[in-house]
Amino acid sequence: MIAIDTLRQHTLVSLELLGIASFVVSGVLAALRKKMDVVGICVCGFLTAFGGGTLRDVLIDRRPFFWVEHQAVLIGALAMCLACATLFKRRHLERSERWLQVPDAVGLGLFCATGVQLSWQMGQPPVVAIMMGVITGTFGGVLRDLVCNEIPSLFRDHRPYALCALAGGVGYALLRQFDTAEWVPVAVCAVLSMGTRLLTLWTDFKLPSVDTR
């Protein structure tokens, strides 16, 4: 039992680390497009990487926060912000709108999976666990866009984002009803969220606008 709990914890931490790295890149690219200084770059990267997970932990009353408990990860994320700001060249920024979507989709899938899994393990109802996955995966990007003085893309670009996370969360909840290995619903949630987001970007599928006339 102890070995299983340890493996479960290591899996969650590994997914969190991958998600953090993806969202750091997303935040740095957004900050560089706005020509922010080094402080702005680090703040934007931090909020993108840790904002959704922090909000999740506040809502489910989980302490300490991930970046407080793992301060080495916080330092590593800030160092990654500085490294990305140094390495990314102008030609990268010219294509950053497209670049921004890829790490953002990866982070969405990974963070959605960790959010659902963590909430589920704490005994939250399935609907709450799914919502925690959506919040974990999407609200870092919301904070990133607000800091960049933009209407969050979650609300304005009409391409499914939160719905992709919702699909992953529902897939997780459905698979937990069957006798499958614990990693299976986590993997399906991450792949489903990330895959549907990338698919909507590739096909340029957009949700219809609400006609108020």
Side-chain angles (χ1 to χ4, degrees), residues 133-156:
V134 174
I135 288 171
T136 308
T138 61
F139 270 78
V142 171
L143 293 175
R144 175 200 65 213
D145 293 342
L146 290 175
V147 168
C148 291
N149 198 29
E150 295 181 353
I151 298 174
S153 59
L154 176 66
F155 309 132
R156 63 177 165 80

Side-chain angles (χ1 to χ4, degrees), residues 112-126:
C112 179
T114 60
V116 177
Q117 171 81 343
L118 182 61
S119 184
W120 194 282
Q121 289 177 355
M122 295 183 67
Q124 302 290 343

Side-chain angles (χ1 to χ4, degrees), residues 14-200:
S14 298
L15 290 176
E16 289 266 11
L17 292 177
L18 290 173
I20 286 168
S22 300
F23 271 161
V24 163
V25 174
S26 173
V28 169
L29 283 171
L32 290 176
R33 286 178 60 230
K34 290 294 184 177
K35 299 182 179 180
M36 293 186 182
D37 60 18
V38 65
V39 174
I41 290 170
C42 290
V43 169
C44 198
F46 170 84
L47 289 175
T48 310
F50 297 108
T54 300
L55 179 57
R56 172 203 65 207
D57 291 347
V58 169
L59 292 174
I60 64 177
D61 196 24
R62 177 177 179 264
R63 299 294 189 279
F65 299 141
F66 181 85
W67 52 274
V68 174
E69 183 179 5
H70 303 278
Q71 296 182 31
V73 177
L74 172 61
I75 295 172
L78 295 177
M80 188 175 175
C81 289
L82 297 176
C84 290
T86 303
L87 295 174
F88 288 153
K89 305 299 181 183
R90 181 173 297 278
R91 64 179 179 274
H92 297 146
L93 297 181
E94 291 171 353
R95 296 176 294 181
S96 64
E97 187 63 33
R98 183 175 60 184
W99 276 68
L100 188 63
Q101 304 299 335
V102 176
D104 201 52
V106 174
L108 173 69
L110 294 172
F111 271 149
C112 179
T114 60
V116 177
Q117 171 81 343
L118 182 61
S119 184
W120 194 282
Q121 289 177 355
M122 295 183 67
Q124 302 290 343
V127 173
V128 175
I130 293 170
M131 290 306 300
M132 290 304 105
V134 174
I135 288 171
T136 308
T138 61
F139 270 78
V142 171
L143 293 175
R144 175 200 65 213
D145 293 342
L146 290 175
V147 168
C148 291
N149 198 29
E150 295 181 353
I151 298 174
S153 59
L154 176 66
F155 309 132
R156 63 177 165 80
D157 74 352
H158 300 287
R159 286 176 292 193
Y161 190 71
L163 290 179
C164 296
L166 179 64
V170 170
Y172 178 98
L174 290 175
L175 284 174
R176 286 304 296 259
Q177 308 306 314
F178 300 95
D179 187 20
T180 61
E182 189 167 343
W183 64 269
V184 173
V186 175
V188 168
C189 179
V191 172
L192 189 58
S193 300
M194 178 175 57
T196 52
R197 174 60 176 170
L198 290 174
L199 182 62
T200 60

